[in-house]
């Protein structure tokens, strides 16, 4: 799919993610309040259960983002992680309309393929 790099979020990319987030969610929403770095850190980087965030990068632009908040639970004495998807978006310049699957789906597929399975971190 194009010249995108699909991978886990890396520390230092917060501002690029916020730039895309704020662009996407401010579209047609005059009352939108931009998300801040503190908001991002609270939702993702400060989670004691870890971080589940994937990007589709094109150069320095976050073309797509798929982020979840993991939670650790104990099931029959084993630690497991469950994650709730909380943020996902595709930069307007990288949308394909109704063509399927798009960048959103491909980013989600790659994150889920890497983070689902057995073990406390999956």
């Amino acid at each position: 799919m194009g010249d995108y790099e699909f991978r886990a979020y890396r520390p230092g990319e917060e501002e690029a993610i916020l730039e895309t987030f704020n662009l996407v969610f401010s579209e047609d929403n005059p009352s939108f309040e931009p998300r801040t770095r503190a908001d991002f850190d609270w939702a993702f980087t400060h989670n004691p259960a870890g971080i589940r965030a994937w990007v589709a990068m094109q150069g320095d632009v976050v073309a797509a983002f798929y982020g979840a908040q993991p939670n650790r639970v104990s099931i029959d004495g084993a630690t497991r992680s469950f994650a709730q998807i909380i943020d996902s978006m595709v930069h307007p310049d990288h949308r394909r309309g109704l063509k399927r699957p798009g960048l959103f789906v491909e980013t989600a597929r790659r994150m889920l393929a890497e983070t689902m399975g057995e073990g406390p971190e999956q």
Side-chain angles (χ1 to χ4, degrees), residues 9-48:
Y9 143 88
R10 294 177 184 157
E13 296 176 329
E14 299 84 358
E15 295 304 322
I17 292 167
L18 288 168
E19 185 176 331
T20 296
F21 181 94
N22 291 332
L23 175 66
V24 167
F25 290 99
S26 67
E27 290 180 311
D28 302 319
N29 184 356
S31 63
F32 174 76
E33 293 186 26
R35 179 168 285 176
T36 66
R37 173 65 189 271
D39 296 328
F40 183 89
D41 288 343
W42 177 87
F44 295 104
T45 61
H46 294 165
N47 185 344

Side-chain angles (χ1 to χ4, degrees), residues 3-101:
D3 57 345
Y4 297 103
E5 178 186 9
F6 296 90
R7 59 172 171 71
Y9 143 88
R10 294 177 184 157
E13 296 176 329
E14 299 84 358
E15 295 304 322
I17 292 167
L18 288 168
E19 185 176 331
T20 296
F21 181 94
N22 291 332
L23 175 66
V24 167
F25 290 99
S26 67
E27 290 180 311
D28 302 319
N29 184 356
S31 63
F32 174 76
E33 293 186 26
R35 179 168 285 176
T36 66
R37 173 65 189 271
D39 296 328
F40 183 89
D41 288 343
W42 177 87
F44 295 104
T45 61
H46 294 165
N47 185 344
I51 186 168
R52 296 285 186 278
W54 278 69
V55 294
M57 300 292 295
Q58 188 175 63
D60 294 335
V61 174
V62 174
F65 178 80
Y66 204 82
Q69 286 181 326
N71 296 287
R72 291 194 179 116
V73 297
S74 178
I75 300 175
D76 295 329
T79 300
R80 299 282 187 244
S81 291
F82 289 86
Q84 177 180 1
I85 306 301
I86 59 167
D87 283 334
S88 56
M89 69 265 186
V90 174
H91 190 289
D93 294 343
H94 298 269
R95 295 177 184 159
R96 295 176 46 192
L98 296 176
K99 296 177 183 174
R100 304 281 188 233

